[in-house]
Amino acid sequence: GQQVMQIPQYQHVQEGEDFTTYCNSSTTLSNIQWYKQRPGGHPVFLIQLVKSGEVKKQKRLTFQFGEAKKNSSLHITATQTTDVGTYFCAGLVPTDSWGKLQFGAGTQVVVTP
Amino acid sequence: DGGITQSPKYLFRKEGQNVTLSCEQNLNHDAMYWYRQDPGQGLRLIYYSQIVNDFQKGDIAEGYSVSREKKESFPLTVTSAQKNPTAFYLCASSMEGRGSPLHFGNGTRLTVT
């Protein structure tokens, strides 16, 4: 079964508001990555977190990796229409020498002007 | 500019026919991947290849086949044995394996009727 869960599945946001999407794993992850897919497009890599408790910022986006390395969050402040898309987290599960990158189902974000 | 090229963008086939999806990269990446994307299910790994002439099954390899004869190319064949082939197929590459960030192509939307 799916090891990486994302919530919420859908997020309707008023332009200018903040929102957070969460990613939870049933197992400890080696790292976590976040991707954004615009409607009709392909996933684009945003960021990778590796260390326990790590926090990284990209302009209005703040990414956090939990202390136990089992969860992560993406917080967007002052949402803009350009933030529309689906945000995926992908956790590296250390199953073997290769490791498996397990994608969450994504959070689809709709922004209302 | 370096990148990943997938062709064609849209593909239509009749049930019972095999079809091959093209993926070419000029990023000089060692690892290449094929993912399948269905609505609400995130990305699922079909096959991956760490080096030329070597590839491994992913989570949903049944009904698919690949080859990796050149570093730049990783074609995917969807065979008639794949029971539900209609989907959005994404090719990706990474500089290294083991959870390094993925660069995706634009995808091929396959419709089988």
Side-chain angles (χ1 to χ4, degrees):
Chain A
Q2 190 164 350
Q3 293 178 288
V4 175
M5 305 295 292
Q6 266 186 272
I7 52 171
Q9 187 176 4
Y10 299 100
Q11 180 79 56
H12 287 83
V13 190
Q14 196 80 25
E15 193 172 11
E17 291 183 341
D18 302 351
F19 79 90
T20 303
T21 177
Y22 299 91
C23 184
N24 299 303
S25 171
S26 56
T27 60
T28 302
L29 302 170
S30 299
N31 70 39
I32 196 152
Q33 300 167 18
W34 285 88
Y35 294 81
K36 177 183 178 181
Q37 184 175 22
R38 294 182 184 276
H42 59 277
V44 175
F45 172 74
L46 294 176
I47 209 158
Q48 178 172 286
L49 304 170
V50 179
K51 299 177 183 177
S52 169
E54 189 170 11
V55 177
K56 288 188 177 181
K57 292 188 176 183
Q58 287 181 350
K59 298 183 181 177
R60 293 178 296 102
L61 277 62
T62 301
F63 303 84
Q64 188 167 7
F65 201 9
E67 293 292 338
K69 300 182 75 172
K70 286 187 174 182
N71 53 67
S72 180
S73 64
L74 160 59
H75 181 77
I76 301 182
T77 57
T79 304
Q80 300 177 358
T81 55
T82 53
D83 295 324
V84 165
T86 300
Y87 293 83
F88 293 97
C89 64
L92 181 64
V93 181
T95 55
D96 51 30
S97 60
W98 172 265
K100 179 189 289 188
L101 197 62
Q102 190 77 42
F103 277 83
T107 294
Q108 184 177 345
V109 176
V110 176
V111 180
T112 306
Chain B
D1 288 338
I4 299 178
T5 301
Q6 287 188 245
S7 60
K9 186 173 183 178
Y10 299 96
L11 194 53
F12 298 89
R13 280 293 183 271
K14 293 290 187 184
E15 199 173 300
Q17 293 179 335
N18 292 354
V19 59
T20 298
L21 281 58
S22 169
C23 177
E24 303 279 332
Q25 56 102 356
N26 60 4
L27 298 167
N28 199 33
H29 285 173
D30 288 318
M32 296 188 74
Y33 314 75
W34 275 104
Y35 284 90
R36 169 178 172 144
Q37 186 174 32
D38 296 283
Q41 292 194 45
L43 282 70
R44 292 183 290 168
L45 183 63
I46 305 173
Y47 267 98
Y48 62 94
S49 168
Q50 295 174 264
I51 56 172
V52 175
N53 293 322
D54 182 64
F55 48 83
Q56 306 295 329
K57 292 182 179 180
D59 297 321
I60 56 166
E62 186 175 349
Y64 300 97
S65 66
V66 294
S67 62
R68 185 88 186 274
E69 298 176 1
K70 299 187 298 182
K71 186 175 184 178
E72 303 79 23
S73 178
F74 192 40
L76 173 74
T77 297
V78 184
T79 75
S80 57
Q82 167 52 230
K83 295 180 181 178
N84 187 19
T86 295
F88 187 48
Y89 290 89
L90 287 157
C91 179
S93 70
S94 65
M95 191 176 298
E96 304 165 347
R98 193 158 170 76
S100 52
L102 300 175
H103 297 255
F104 285 90
N106 290 333
T108 293
R109 193 166 298 279
L110 173 65
T111 302
V112 177
T113 57

